[in-house]
Short mmCIF file of all heavy atoms in Angstrom, two decimals:
data_model
loop_
_atom_site.label_atom_id
_atom_site.label_comp_id
_atom_site.label_asym_id
_atom_site.label_seq_id
_atom_site.Cartn_x
_atom_site.Cartn_y
_atom_site.Cartn_z
N ILE Q 597 2.76 20.84 4.07
CA ILE Q 597 3.70 20.62 2.99
C ILE Q 597 4.56 21.87 2.86
O ILE Q 597 4.03 22.99 2.78
CB ILE Q 597 2.98 20.34 1.65
CG1 ILE Q 597 2.26 19.00 1.70
CG2 ILE Q 597 3.96 20.37 0.48
CD1 ILE Q 597 1.48 18.67 0.45
N THR Q 617 1.90 25.10 3.08
CA THR Q 617 0.45 25.06 3.26
C THR Q 617 0.12 25.38 4.71
O THR Q 617 0.99 25.39 5.58
CB THR Q 617 -0.11 23.67 2.94
OG1 THR Q 617 0.40 22.74 3.92
CG2 THR Q 617 0.28 23.22 1.54
N GLY Q 618 -1.15 25.62 4.95
CA GLY Q 618 -1.61 25.65 6.32
C GLY Q 618 -1.73 24.22 6.83
O GLY Q 618 -1.32 23.26 6.16
N HIS Q 619 -2.31 24.07 8.01
CA HIS Q 619 -2.49 22.72 8.58
C HIS Q 619 -3.40 21.91 7.68
O HIS Q 619 -4.47 22.36 7.27
CB HIS Q 619 -3.08 22.83 9.98
CG HIS Q 619 -3.42 21.51 10.60
ND1 HIS Q 619 -2.46 20.58 10.93
CD2 HIS Q 619 -4.63 20.94 10.90
CE1 HIS Q 619 -3.05 19.51 11.45
NE2 HIS Q 619 -4.36 19.71 11.44
N LEU Q 620 -2.98 20.68 7.36
CA LEU Q 620 -3.78 19.75 6.57
C LEU Q 620 -4.45 18.75 7.50
O LEU Q 620 -3.78 18.07 8.27
CB LEU Q 620 -2.89 19.01 5.56
CG LEU Q 620 -2.19 19.88 4.51
CD1 LEU Q 620 -1.23 19.03 3.68
CD2 LEU Q 620 -3.21 20.54 3.61
N ARG Q 633 2.70 14.48 -7.96
CA ARG Q 633 2.57 14.28 -9.40
C ARG Q 633 2.56 15.65 -10.07
O ARG Q 633 1.59 16.39 -9.94
CB ARG Q 633 1.29 13.52 -9.73
CG ARG Q 633 1.05 13.31 -11.21
CD ARG Q 633 -0.29 12.67 -11.48
NE ARG Q 633 -0.53 12.53 -12.90
CZ ARG Q 633 -1.01 13.50 -13.67
NH1 ARG Q 633 -1.29 14.67 -13.14
NH2 ARG Q 633 -1.21 13.29 -14.96
N ASP Q 635 2.70 19.34 -10.56
CA ASP Q 635 2.51 20.41 -9.58
C ASP Q 635 1.33 20.13 -8.66
O ASP Q 635 0.69 21.05 -8.16
CB ASP Q 635 2.34 21.76 -10.29
CG ASP Q 635 1.12 21.79 -11.22
OD1 ASP Q 635 0.42 20.76 -11.30
OD2 ASP Q 635 0.88 22.83 -11.85
N ARG Q 636 1.05 18.84 -8.44
CA ARG Q 636 -0.01 18.45 -7.52
C ARG Q 636 0.54 17.50 -6.46
O ARG Q 636 1.43 16.70 -6.72
CB ARG Q 636 -1.15 17.75 -8.26
CG ARG Q 636 -1.91 18.64 -9.24
CD ARG Q 636 -2.73 19.70 -8.52
NE ARG Q 636 -3.57 20.44 -9.44
CZ ARG Q 636 -3.21 21.58 -10.04
NH1 ARG Q 636 -2.00 22.08 -9.83
NH2 ARG Q 636 -4.06 22.20 -10.85
N ALA Q 637 -0.04 17.60 -5.27
CA ALA Q 637 0.25 16.64 -4.20
C ALA Q 637 -1.08 16.05 -3.75
O ALA Q 637 -2.08 16.76 -3.63
CB ALA Q 637 0.95 17.31 -3.03
N TYR Q 638 -1.08 14.74 -3.51
CA TYR Q 638 -2.27 14.04 -3.02
C TYR Q 638 -1.93 13.52 -1.63
O TYR Q 638 -0.98 12.76 -1.46
CB TYR Q 638 -2.64 12.92 -3.98
CG TYR Q 638 -2.90 13.44 -5.39
CD1 TYR Q 638 -1.85 13.54 -6.30
CD2 TYR Q 638 -4.16 13.86 -5.76
CE1 TYR Q 638 -2.07 14.05 -7.58
CE2 TYR Q 638 -4.40 14.36 -7.03
CZ TYR Q 638 -3.34 14.46 -7.94
OH TYR Q 638 -3.57 14.96 -9.20
N VAL Q 639 -2.68 13.97 -0.65
CA VAL Q 639 -2.33 13.75 0.75
C VAL Q 639 -3.48 13.07 1.49
O VAL Q 639 -4.64 13.46 1.32
CB VAL Q 639 -1.99 15.09 1.45
CG1 VAL Q 639 -1.54 14.86 2.89
CG2 VAL Q 639 -0.93 15.86 0.67
N PHE Q 648 -8.91 12.83 2.10
CA PHE Q 648 -8.02 12.75 0.94
C PHE Q 648 -7.98 14.15 0.34
O PHE Q 648 -9.02 14.69 -0.07
CB PHE Q 648 -8.59 11.73 -0.05
CG PHE Q 648 -7.84 11.65 -1.36
CD1 PHE Q 648 -6.75 10.81 -1.49
CD2 PHE Q 648 -8.25 12.39 -2.47
CE1 PHE Q 648 -6.07 10.71 -2.70
CE2 PHE Q 648 -7.59 12.29 -3.68
CZ PHE Q 648 -6.49 11.46 -3.79
N TYR Q 649 -6.79 14.76 0.29
CA TYR Q 649 -6.65 16.13 -0.16
C TYR Q 649 -5.90 16.20 -1.49
O TYR Q 649 -4.95 15.44 -1.72
CB TYR Q 649 -5.88 16.96 0.86
CG TYR Q 649 -6.57 17.11 2.19
CD1 TYR Q 649 -6.19 16.36 3.29
CD2 TYR Q 649 -7.62 18.01 2.36
CE1 TYR Q 649 -6.83 16.48 4.51
CE2 TYR Q 649 -8.27 18.14 3.58
CZ TYR Q 649 -7.87 17.37 4.65
OH TYR Q 649 -8.50 17.50 5.86
N VAL Q 650 -6.33 17.14 -2.34
CA VAL Q 650 -5.59 17.49 -3.55
C VAL Q 650 -5.00 18.88 -3.31
O VAL Q 650 -5.74 19.84 -3.02
CB VAL Q 650 -6.50 17.52 -4.79
CG1 VAL Q 650 -5.67 17.86 -6.04
CG2 VAL Q 650 -7.21 16.19 -4.96
N VAL Q 651 -3.66 18.99 -3.40
CA VAL Q 651 -2.97 20.24 -3.10
C VAL Q 651 -2.33 20.77 -4.38
O VAL Q 651 -1.59 20.06 -5.07
CB VAL Q 651 -1.88 20.04 -2.02
CG1 VAL Q 651 -1.20 21.36 -1.70
CG2 VAL Q 651 -2.50 19.44 -0.76
N ASP Q 652 -2.61 22.04 -4.69
CA ASP Q 652 -2.05 22.72 -5.86
C ASP Q 652 -0.71 23.35 -5.46
O ASP Q 652 -0.66 24.24 -4.61
CB ASP Q 652 -3.02 23.80 -6.35
CG ASP Q 652 -2.53 24.51 -7.60
OD1 ASP Q 652 -1.40 24.23 -8.06
OD2 ASP Q 652 -3.28 25.36 -8.11
N LEU Q 653 0.38 22.87 -6.10
CA LEU Q 653 1.72 23.40 -5.84
C LEU Q 653 2.21 24.25 -7.01
O LEU Q 653 3.40 24.53 -7.12
CB LEU Q 653 2.70 22.25 -5.60
CG LEU Q 653 2.37 21.28 -4.47
CD1 LEU Q 653 3.34 20.11 -4.46
CD2 LEU Q 653 2.38 21.99 -3.13
N GLY Q 654 1.28 24.64 -7.90
CA GLY Q 654 1.65 25.38 -9.10
C GLY Q 654 2.31 26.71 -8.79
O GLY Q 654 3.22 27.14 -9.52
N GLU Q 655 1.86 27.39 -7.75
CA GLU Q 655 2.52 28.61 -7.29
C GLU Q 655 3.30 28.25 -6.02
O GLU Q 655 2.72 28.11 -4.94
CB GLU Q 655 1.48 29.69 -6.98
CG GLU Q 655 2.08 31.00 -6.47
CD GLU Q 655 3.16 31.55 -7.36
OE1 GLU Q 655 2.87 31.81 -8.55
OE2 GLU Q 655 4.32 31.68 -6.88
N GLU Q 658 2.61 29.80 -2.66
CA GLU Q 658 1.26 29.74 -2.12
C GLU Q 658 0.60 28.39 -2.41
O GLU Q 658 -0.42 28.32 -3.10
CB GLU Q 658 0.40 30.87 -2.69
CG GLU Q 658 0.88 32.26 -2.32
CD GLU Q 658 -0.03 33.35 -2.89
OE1 GLU Q 658 -1.03 32.99 -3.54
OE2 GLU Q 658 0.26 34.53 -2.69
N PRO Q 659 1.15 27.30 -1.90
CA PRO Q 659 0.48 26.00 -2.09
C PRO Q 659 -0.85 26.00 -1.36
O PRO Q 659 -0.98 26.56 -0.28
CB PRO Q 659 1.47 25.01 -1.47
CG PRO Q 659 2.27 25.81 -0.50
CD PRO Q 659 2.37 27.19 -1.07
N LYS Q 660 -1.86 25.37 -1.98
CA LYS Q 660 -3.19 25.43 -1.38
C LYS Q 660 -3.99 24.17 -1.70
O LYS Q 660 -3.79 23.53 -2.74
CB LYS Q 660 -3.95 26.66 -1.88
CG LYS Q 660 -4.11 26.70 -3.38
CD LYS Q 660 -4.76 28.01 -3.84
CE LYS Q 660 -4.87 28.05 -5.37
NZ LYS Q 660 -5.47 29.31 -5.83
N VAL Q 661 -4.89 23.83 -0.80
CA VAL Q 661 -5.80 22.71 -1.00
C VAL Q 661 -6.90 23.13 -1.97
O VAL Q 661 -7.53 24.18 -1.78
CB VAL Q 661 -6.42 22.26 0.33
CG1 VAL Q 661 -7.48 21.19 0.10
CG2 VAL Q 661 -5.35 21.73 1.27
N ILE Q 662 -7.10 22.33 -3.03
CA ILE Q 662 -8.15 22.66 -4.00
C ILE Q 662 -9.27 21.62 -4.02
O ILE Q 662 -10.31 21.84 -4.63
CB ILE Q 662 -7.56 22.82 -5.42
CG1 ILE Q 662 -6.84 21.54 -5.87
CG2 ILE Q 662 -6.64 24.03 -5.48
CD1 ILE Q 662 -6.38 21.58 -7.32
N GLY Q 663 -9.05 20.47 -3.39
CA GLY Q 663 -10.09 19.45 -3.36
C GLY Q 663 -9.93 18.57 -2.14
O GLY Q 663 -8.82 18.39 -1.63
N ALA Q 664 -11.05 18.01 -1.64
CA ALA Q 664 -10.99 17.15 -0.45
C ALA Q 664 -12.14 16.15 -0.47
O ALA Q 664 -13.20 16.40 -1.05
CB ALA Q 664 -11.05 17.99 0.83
N LEU Q 665 -11.89 15.02 0.17
CA LEU Q 665 -12.89 13.94 0.27
C LEU Q 665 -12.71 13.25 1.61
O LEU Q 665 -11.59 12.98 2.02
CB LEU Q 665 -12.68 12.94 -0.87
CG LEU Q 665 -13.47 11.63 -0.82
CD1 LEU Q 665 -14.95 11.89 -1.03
CD2 LEU Q 665 -12.94 10.63 -1.85
N LYS Q 683 -7.74 9.95 -14.90
CA LYS Q 683 -6.71 9.86 -13.87
C LYS Q 683 -7.31 9.34 -12.57
O LYS Q 683 -8.38 9.78 -12.15
CB LYS Q 683 -6.09 11.24 -13.63
CG LYS Q 683 -5.41 11.84 -14.85
CD LYS Q 683 -4.92 13.24 -14.55
CE LYS Q 683 -4.31 13.90 -15.77
NZ LYS Q 683 -3.91 15.30 -15.49
N ILE Q 702 -9.63 11.30 -9.70
CA ILE Q 702 -9.09 12.66 -9.51
C ILE Q 702 -9.17 13.47 -10.80
O ILE Q 702 -8.48 14.48 -10.94
CB ILE Q 702 -7.64 12.61 -9.00
CG1 ILE Q 702 -6.76 11.78 -9.94
CG2 ILE Q 702 -7.60 12.05 -7.58
CD1 ILE Q 702 -5.28 11.84 -9.61
N SER Q 703 -10.01 13.03 -11.75
CA SER Q 703 -10.13 13.77 -13.00
C SER Q 703 -10.72 15.16 -12.76
O SER Q 703 -10.38 16.12 -13.46
CB SER Q 703 -10.99 12.99 -14.00
OG SER Q 703 -12.26 12.68 -13.45
N ASP Q 704 -11.60 15.30 -11.77
CA ASP Q 704 -12.08 16.60 -11.32
C ASP Q 704 -11.37 16.89 -10.01
O ASP Q 704 -11.78 16.40 -8.95
CB ASP Q 704 -13.60 16.58 -11.14
CG ASP Q 704 -14.15 17.93 -10.68
OD1 ASP Q 704 -13.35 18.85 -10.40
OD2 ASP Q 704 -15.39 18.04 -10.57
N GLU Q 705 -10.30 17.66 -10.07
CA GLU Q 705 -9.44 17.84 -8.89
C GLU Q 705 -10.15 18.52 -7.73
O GLU Q 705 -9.78 18.32 -6.58
CB GLU Q 705 -8.19 18.63 -9.28
CG GLU Q 705 -7.30 17.91 -10.29
CD GLU Q 705 -6.09 18.73 -10.66
OE1 GLU Q 705 -6.23 19.97 -10.78
OE2 GLU Q 705 -5.00 18.14 -10.82
N LYS Q 706 -11.15 19.32 -8.02
CA LYS Q 706 -11.86 20.02 -6.95
C LYS Q 706 -12.87 19.12 -6.25
O LYS Q 706 -13.31 19.42 -5.14
CB LYS Q 706 -12.57 21.26 -7.50
CG LYS Q 706 -11.61 22.33 -8.00
CD LYS Q 706 -12.37 23.57 -8.48
CE LYS Q 706 -11.39 24.64 -8.97
NZ LYS Q 706 -12.11 25.85 -9.44
N ASN Q 707 -13.23 18.02 -6.90
CA ASN Q 707 -14.22 17.11 -6.33
C ASN Q 707 -13.78 15.66 -6.51
O ASN Q 707 -14.41 14.91 -7.27
CB ASN Q 707 -15.59 17.34 -6.99
CG ASN Q 707 -16.13 18.72 -6.74
OD1 ASN Q 707 -16.56 19.05 -5.65
ND2 ASN Q 707 -16.09 19.55 -7.79
N PRO Q 708 -12.70 15.24 -5.84
CA PRO Q 708 -12.28 13.83 -5.95
C PRO Q 708 -13.34 12.92 -5.35
O PRO Q 708 -14.02 13.29 -4.38
CB PRO Q 708 -10.98 13.78 -5.15
CG PRO Q 708 -11.10 14.91 -4.16
CD PRO Q 708 -11.86 15.99 -4.87
#
Side-chain angles (χ1 to χ4, degrees):
I597 292 178
T617 65
H619 175 66
L620 298 174
R633 178 186 177 276
D635 61 0
R636 294 291 187 268
Y638 302 89
V639 183
F648 175 87
Y649 296 102
V650 182
V651 181
D652 182 356
L653 303 174
E655 179 53 59
E658 297 181 2
K660 58 185 178 181
V661 174
I662 58 173
L665 171 68
K683 299 175 183 177
I702 55 172
S703 56
D704 180 355
E705 296 179 322
K706 294 183 179 180
N707 297 287

